[in-house]
Amino acid sequence: MKSKGIWFYGLSGVGKSYISKLVHKHIRESVVVDGDLVRKLVSFDLKYGKSDREIQVKRVFGIAKLIIESKKYPVISTVWMNKEIIKKCAKANIAV
């Protein structure tokens, strides 16, 4: 089955945003969801502790689901990821 989105995660500075932009250029109807931008515009109420990072990835996942519902392809990049969201991505057919 073809994926409905892709999520890159890893340490700061490893090229997640760079590869997201490359993927975006090659996939029609894609939307880049940059975790840093989501934090700035949506999750500005959060800090950087574990519990706040958990909330952040849930919000990013919700944004990804909205994009999929709009028949677009989310290309996501975040620093943090957890097992719960990896499982939800699998159910939503988002490649991690």
Side-chain angles (χ1 to χ4, degrees), residues 19-71:
I19 196 73
S20 293
K21 290 173 189 171
L22 272 178
V23 169
H24 171 62
K25 285 182 182 180
H26 290 86
I27 297 179
R28 181 175 245 160
E29 302 293 325
S30 64
V31 177
V32 174
V33 181
D34 186 284
D36 290 337
L37 193 55
V38 172
R39 184 173 283 281
K40 179 180 176 183
L41 300 174
V42 176
S43 298
F44 50 84
D45 58 321
L46 300 177
K47 304 283 190 251
Y48 292 90
K50 184 178 179 191
S51 61
D52 284 346
R53 289 182 186 272
E54 301 279 349
I55 294 167
Q56 167 74 351
V57 294
K58 287 179 183 178
R59 290 178 182 177
V60 171
F61 180 77
I63 292 167
K65 291 285 288 181
L66 287 171
I67 292 167
I68 292 168
E69 290 292 320
S70 297
K71 307 295 186 221

Side-chain angles (χ1 to χ4, degrees), residues 11-23:
L11 297 174
S12 181
V14 298
K16 298 177 301 295
S17 295
Y18 176 78
I19 196 73
S20 293
K21 290 173 189 171
L22 272 178
V23 169

Side-chain angles (χ1 to χ4, degrees), residues 73-89:
Y73 188 92
V75 180
I76 309 149
S77 64
T78 61
V79 171
W80 180 261
M81 178 54 85
N82 65 30
K83 290 178 184 179
E84 174 191 355
I85 298 301
I86 289 173
K87 288 178 185 176
K88 286 184 176 192
C89 285

